[in-house]
Amino acid sequence: MEQGRHGQPDTFSMLTVLDEDVVVIRMFGDLDLASASSLRACLAEAVGLRTPPRIVVDAEGLKFCDSTGLSVLMGALAAVSAAGGRLALSGAHGRFARMLRITGLDTELPIHDSVSAAAAHLGEPGD
C-alpha cells in the first residue's frame, strides 16, 4: 500500500549518471520546498561537468512537484543556457506534466518520453 506524502521525511532522491557527453539526473519521490535545494545544488554541479553542458532531467520517478521545484528547473534552464548548453526533460507525467503545460515551461524545456530521446535531442544542432 502506498502512503501519502505528508509527514514522510527524506522522500526525494537523485541519481546522477554521465552518459557519454550528457549528464542525466534521475529524480525520485517528492520535489518540494524541503528538497528543492538538493536538486538546485545537483544541477549547479552538473553544469560544470561538461562543456558545454548537456543535461537531461529524468522525471520518470517523480511522484510530486510543487512550484518550488518548477522554480529550480527554470533557474537551471537559465544557468545551462548562460553556459552555452542545453537542458531537456524526460519522463514527465501526470500532474507534473500538466503543471509544465499550464505554466508554459514545456515550451522552454523540451519534454521527451525517454532519457535516450532527450539525449538525442540535445545532440542535435541548437534552435
Side-chain angles (χ1 to χ4, degrees), residues 47 52-53 55 74-87 108:
V47 169
I55 302 170
M74 290 175 13
L77 187 58
V80 169
S81 294
R86 298 173 75 193
L87 179 70
E108 300 294 321

Side-chain angles (χ1 to χ4, degrees), residues 5-122:
R5 57 178 289 280
H6 297 287
Q8 294 181 355
D10 302 322
T11 58
F12 182 77
S13 63
M14 295 166 294
L15 174 65
T16 303
V17 178
L18 297 176
D19 184 3
E20 296 184 20
D21 59 345
V22 175
V23 178
V24 179
I25 300 172
R26 298 182 188 273
M27 301 184 295
F28 303 93
D30 298 343
L31 176 56
D32 55 19
L33 182 61
S35 58
S37 61
S38 297
L39 179 60
R40 186 178 294 113
C42 183
L43 285 162
E45 183 178 326
V47 169
L49 291 176
R50 295 286 185 265
T51 303
R54 295 187 338 169
I55 302 170
V56 174
V57 177
D58 181 23
E60 184 66 35
L62 195 64
K63 303 286 185 220
F64 173 82
C65 179
D66 69 5
S67 61
T68 310
L70 287 181
S71 176
V72 170
L73 291 173
M74 290 175 13
L77 187 58
V80 169
S81 294
R86 298 173 75 193
L87 179 70
L89 188 63
S90 69
H93 54 84
R95 290 182 178 165
F96 179 54
R98 184 169 182 260
M99 284 177 60
L100 293 168
R101 284 191 307 273
I102 289 170
T103 60
L105 190 54
D106 64 335
T107 62
E108 300 294 321
L109 183 59
I111 301 170
H112 303 274
D113 291 336
S114 68
V115 170
S116 58
H121 170 80
L122 293 179

